[in-house]
Amino acid sequence: MYSKTTTIKNETGLHARPAHDFVNAAKKYSSKITIKNLDDAEAEAANAKSMVMILAEGIAKDTHVEVAADGSDEKEAVEELIALIDSGFGE
């Protein structure tokens, strides 16, 4: 298991287009990948390969999140997804 934390920077959070970009990047990897809203004590880790699960989390700007992966390409997956979040999804 490999994980890192970051903060959502883009204005729209992980909604619509940014969530789509995030899910598509996650699907490139064989590892099980999750994203968790660290600002919500009751939040559970969501499947990062599911658009519905990402949108259901309602992750907004300035939310602290943890991206975790478990599998053969876990480090590469987490590093790419964290870099995508930190880039603000090109917005």
Side-chain angles (χ1 to χ4, degrees):
M1 172 84 70
Y2 182 78
S3 66
K4 284 183 100 169
T5 61
T6 192
T7 304
I8 302 296
K9 296 179 176 143
N10 59 311
E11 291 297 323
T12 61
L14 278 184
H15 299 282
R17 190 195 58 75
H20 180 263
D21 292 349
F22 186 84
V23 169
N24 281 344
K27 286 183 177 180
K28 296 189 307 186
Y29 297 96
S30 63
S31 293
K32 178 183 175 188
I33 307 168
T34 60
I35 185 167
K36 183 175 182 179
N37 179 346
L38 297 176
D39 294 340
D40 181 352
E42 296 180 17
E44 293 187 21
N47 180 352
K49 297 179 182 180
S50 169
M51 184 78 164
V52 172
M53 295 300 289
I54 299 288
L55 293 175
E57 290 299 305
I59 299 173
K61 181 181 180 190
D62 296 327
T63 301
H64 297 92
V65 296
E66 175 187 62
V67 177
D70 189 17
S72 61
D73 52 6
E74 62 191 26
K75 185 172 183 190
E76 296 86 357
V78 170
E79 293 295 339
E80 179 179 342
L81 293 170
I82 292 289
L84 182 61
I85 291 170
D86 288 347
S87 76
F89 297 91
E91 293 182 351

